[in-house]
Amino acid sequence: MGRIRRASPAELVDEWPDGTATDPIARVAQEFAQNLREAMGDLTVRSVARSAGLDHATVLAILAGRTWPDLATIGKLERALEQNLWPTGVSFDR
């Protein structure tokens, strides 16, 4: 049996990354990407990825909403940027 394809965060948010999320979990990914973008400031994607020990394509995919960031990636990015990026309380906002 094959794996069921899960929609990407960008597929669940009109006009990613600043549009309206149609799914509460996609809203978490949306706010994470927004927090990441803000925390990066003037830093390049490559420099952030290097500091975090990630491939730059991973950071680009998160920012573009093409992928769901996993816990290890989130932790590496938070450590590299020395900021909390994970949005709290978003998935149960009504």
Side-chain angles (χ1 to χ4, degrees):
M1 217 171 155
R3 199 170 160 190
I4 296 174
R5 183 191 174 282
R6 176 172 53 169
S8 71
E11 292 173 307
L12 299 171
V13 176
D14 297 330
E15 298 181 38
W16 179 270
D18 300 312
T20 304
T22 59
D23 178 277
I25 306 306
R27 186 162 170 236
V28 174
Q30 175 188 28
E31 288 200 21
F32 179 82
Q34 291 169 338
N35 292 345
L36 174 59
R37 179 179 59 190
E38 185 177 322
M40 288 175 59
D42 292 333
L43 299 172
T44 67
V45 169
R46 286 184 185 272
S47 69
V48 170
R50 191 175 321 114
S51 294
L54 299 169
D55 187 276
H56 75 279
T58 299
V59 177
L60 285 172
I62 292 168
L63 290 169
R66 290 190 306 265
T67 190
W68 296 89
D70 64 21
L71 290 174
T73 300
I74 293 165
K76 288 176 180 183
L77 287 167
E78 286 187 340
R79 185 173 172 91
L81 293 167
E82 298 180 348
Q83 290 189 40
N84 291 321
L85 302 173
W86 187 257
T88 58
V90 174
S91 62
F92 52 81
D93 285 349
R94 304 212 192 271

